[in-house]
Amino acid sequence: MPAPLEQRRALLTPIPGPRSRELMERKLSAVASGVGTTMPVFAAQAGGGVVLDVDGNSLIDLGSGIAVTTIGNSAPRVVAAVQEQVEYFTHTCFMITPYAGYVQVAEALNELTPGDHDKRTALFNSGAEAVENAVKIARAYTHKSAVVAFDHAYHGRTNLTMAMTAKSMPYKSGFGPFAPEVYRAPLSYPYRDGKEMDGERAARRAIDVIEKQVGAANLAAVVIEPIQGEGGFIVPADGFLPALVSWCRANNVVFIADEVQSGIARTGAWFASEHFGIVPDLVVTAKGLAGGMPLSAVTGRTEIMDAAHGGGLGGTYGGNPVACAAALGAIETITDEGLLDRAVELGRVMLPRLHRLQAEDSRIGDVRGLGAMIAVELVHRDTTDPDPDLARLVASAAHRQGVILLTCGTYGNVLRLLPPLSISDALLEEALDVLADILAETDERQPQVSIDQEATA
Ligand code: PLZ
């Protein structure tokens, strides 16, 4: 057992240190170059609010492995549940000899997802795989084939989910042809839509495109991230999602909420859908569901879920028993430790601070998000023109100073803050101090040493 991690930021070597550099050399000659890394730093241990690297540097974690270790890395209940399960059995295949853990996870998701209607759940391995299955189920139920996804959407890297994902580079470019019958509708993006485009108008704009370019008679499903993840943590205007849900209901179209990134306590609710008062027909979960073990799910109305014929859904590893044990540990942790409230509190630490920075710095175009899913959209001074170079500069400076900070957005100009809910206020404040200092240092109005000079030093 490793020693408990000290909850502090500590840099013992430059970032990356010599051991990470050596491993990166080996990575370059062993791993396909298509698999990139955000930071050139190799992990040794992680928990609470920090990641310890192989050189002994302790980094503040504002990424949670892309919104996965929401309850913290190696969370005690997850570790115990996984250890116990691996000693009994690691796999039998649920389709061959089933086991209770899978059923328990299904029961928990049926209970936790929005709406008190009768529900069923099917388990898979990755977010993309679950999104694909949600589409299969919607097609089986409606006997229709078209799928609508939105501008800025991210749904995965498999063939169907690449088609559903909006951004070409790096996700799709050169990897076509893509699955047919996927159409794109305009999203509600309050920062870029302007004030007159309220949620209902934005919904009418989207529905108009759907009716004219696809037709409800051909449409199986509308798939949307209630708060977009990779696309830039875009929170739609009030009224947008409810109007889409009503339109889907009236037109026999399945409304699928992709809550892979926004779900499982991340936004201060079990599901981001709850903030908008919507009850999706199907909810797709993954990431935070199993505390870092690969597990995903589709949960929804029984009549829709059961439309797929017996044997029509599955996969060798879907709902692996170790991953299910981890999920039960993660769900128990969220409930017992009041982590929904903790996510709200983390938002209260981040948002006011970021709003203050925004008030003094016109390069911060927008600060948005809910709970522990917060974004800072960077633009060229006094414009709304995206500034991806600044986002890159800020993120890499943060990395060098021991803060794991991710970017996102169609334009690559959004900083996203996704701390684990196990981080302390003090560590989160320290990471925000680092971010504020970097923004001040990159501010050409301030007479200071620039980050570029530091980078070449
Ligand atoms: N749906 C909303 O955010 C995964 C992707 C990282 P998988 N997002 C992180 C990358 O560059 O590959 C995601 C998501 C939403 C689906 C997915 C896909 O989930 O578990 O990566 O397949």
Side-chain angles (χ1 to χ4, degrees):
M1 262 250 293
L5 272 175
E6 260 188 87
Q7 293 298 310
R8 58 179 186 130
R9 180 171 63 113
L11 297 180
L12 310 187
T13 71
I15 301 287
R19 292 208 169 103
S20 278
R21 279 181 196 278
E22 196 192 313
L23 280 164
M24 191 51 82
E25 284 299 313
R26 286 169 55 191
K27 183 232 172 214
L28 291 175
S29 51
V31 179
S33 58
V35 184
T37 62
T38 298
M39 290 181 68
V41 160
F42 281 73
Q45 195 184 340
V50 299
V51 174
L52 186 71
D53 79 4
V54 289
D55 293 289
N57 300 301
S58 180
L59 316 170
I60 302 178
D61 186 9
L62 294 189
S64 301
I66 326 190
V68 170
T69 52
T70 304
I71 62 167
N73 235 303
S74 299
R77 282 185 178 86
V78 170
V79 172
V82 165
Q83 281 173 342
E84 191 184 348
Q85 181 57 47
V86 288
E87 287 177 10
Y88 283 86
F89 62 96
T90 47
H91 173 86
T92 60
C93 188
F94 190 73
M95 301 184 303
I96 307 300
T97 50
Y99 36 88
Y102 188 119
V103 178
Q104 287 171 280
V105 172
E107 287 168 348
L109 285 170
N110 295 346
E111 179 71 33
L112 293 168
T113 46
D116 50 15
H117 49 277
D118 206 32
K119 293 175 209 153
R120 296 289 185 272
T121 287
L123 300 180
F124 305 97
N125 300 289
S126 68
E129 192 189 356
V131 171
E132 292 233 4
N133 277 280
V135 170
K136 278 165 65 172
I137 292 164
R139 285 175 170 163
Y141 175 70
T142 58
H143 303 289
K144 301 188 276 185
S145 59
V147 175
V148 161
F150 285 80
D151 287 334
H152 312 288
Y154 183 90
H155 298 291
R157 294 176 183 265
T158 58
N159 189 262
L160 174 58
T161 58
M162 269 195 294
M164 295 166 66
T165 291
K167 194 172 173 178
S168 175
M169 269 312 258
Y171 307 122
K172 305 167 73 166
S173 186
F175 299 144
F178 304 112
E181 287 306 306
V182 175
Y183 300 88
R184 198 161 306 286
L187 185 75
S188 161
Y189 191 161
Y191 174 61
R192 299 203 168 272
D193 280 346
K195 288 224 166 25
E196 22 347 311
M197 183 62 75
D198 63 14
E200 272 161 45
R201 274 198 182 182
R204 273 204 300 281
R205 175 176 65 177
I207 289 165
D208 197 49
V209 168
I210 296 170
E211 285 180 338
K212 298 293 180 302
Q213 299 183 24
V214 189
N218 306 302
L219 184 57
V222 164
V223 187
I224 190 163
E225 303 153 79
I227 297 177
Q228 276 196 339
E230 304 303 307
F233 281 27
I234 303 166
V235 185
D238 283 344
F240 177 72
L241 292 171
L244 285 180
V245 172
S246 320
W247 182 86
C248 286
R249 291 278 136 79
N251 289 281
N252 185 33
V253 172
V254 177
F255 183 92
I256 302 173
D258 178 346
E259 292 247 21
V260 167
Q261 190 149 171
S262 60
I264 318 288
R266 178 48 61 188
T267 65
W270 278 101
F271 297 95
S273 292
E274 296 168 47
H275 298 292
F276 305 99
I278 57 165
V279 176
D281 296 316
L282 303 181
V283 177
V284 181
T285 47
K287 291 192 185 281
L289 178 58
M293 296 295 288
L295 185 70
S296 63
V298 182
T299 301
R301 295 182 191 282
T302 299
E303 65 275 21
I304 301 176
M305 291 297 295
D306 283 350
H309 54 270
L313 305 175
T316 305
Y317 294 111
N320 168 272
V322 182
C324 286
L328 294 171
I331 291 168
E332 194 181 289
T333 305
I334 294 168
T335 309
D336 288 5
E337 296 182 5
L339 292 186
L340 301 184
D341 294 339
R342 184 65 190 143
V344 174
E345 277 168 26
L346 292 185
R348 290 199 183 122
V349 172
M350 291 186 277
L351 281 173
R353 183 82 192 272
L354 295 168
H355 279 132
R356 281 203 298 283
L357 288 176
Q358 183 188 19
E360 291 157 15
D361 190 341
S362 71
R363 298 171 305 165
I364 301 183
D366 196 24
V367 171
R368 58 179 176 254
L370 288 164
M373 184 173 187
I374 301 296
V376 178
E377 177 153 4
L378 300 175
V379 292
H380 289 283
R381 197 178 294 291
D382 300 318
T383 72
T384 57
D385 300 341
D387 192 347
D389 293 336
L390 180 59
R392 250 190 313 272
L393 196 73
V394 171
S396 61
H399 300 164
R400 286 195 302 278
Q401 294 178 38
V403 176
I404 301 175
L405 178 61
L406 311 181
T407 60
C408 65
T410 296
Y411 315 105
N413 66 322
V414 178
L415 304 172
R416 57 171 148 174
L417 280 60
L418 288 166
L421 305 181
S422 51
I423 197 171
S424 67
D425 284 10
L427 269 186
L428 183 56
E429 295 276 12
E430 186 177 337
L432 292 168
D433 291 342
V434 170
L435 177 59
D437 288 348
I438 292 168
L439 281 165
E441 282 163 21
T442 56
D443 190 343
E444 66 275 16
R445 296 172 312 178
Q446 311 247 349
Q448 299 207 20
V449 186
S450 86
I451 290 288
D452 289 335
Q453 280 169 274
E454 190 198 312
T456 50

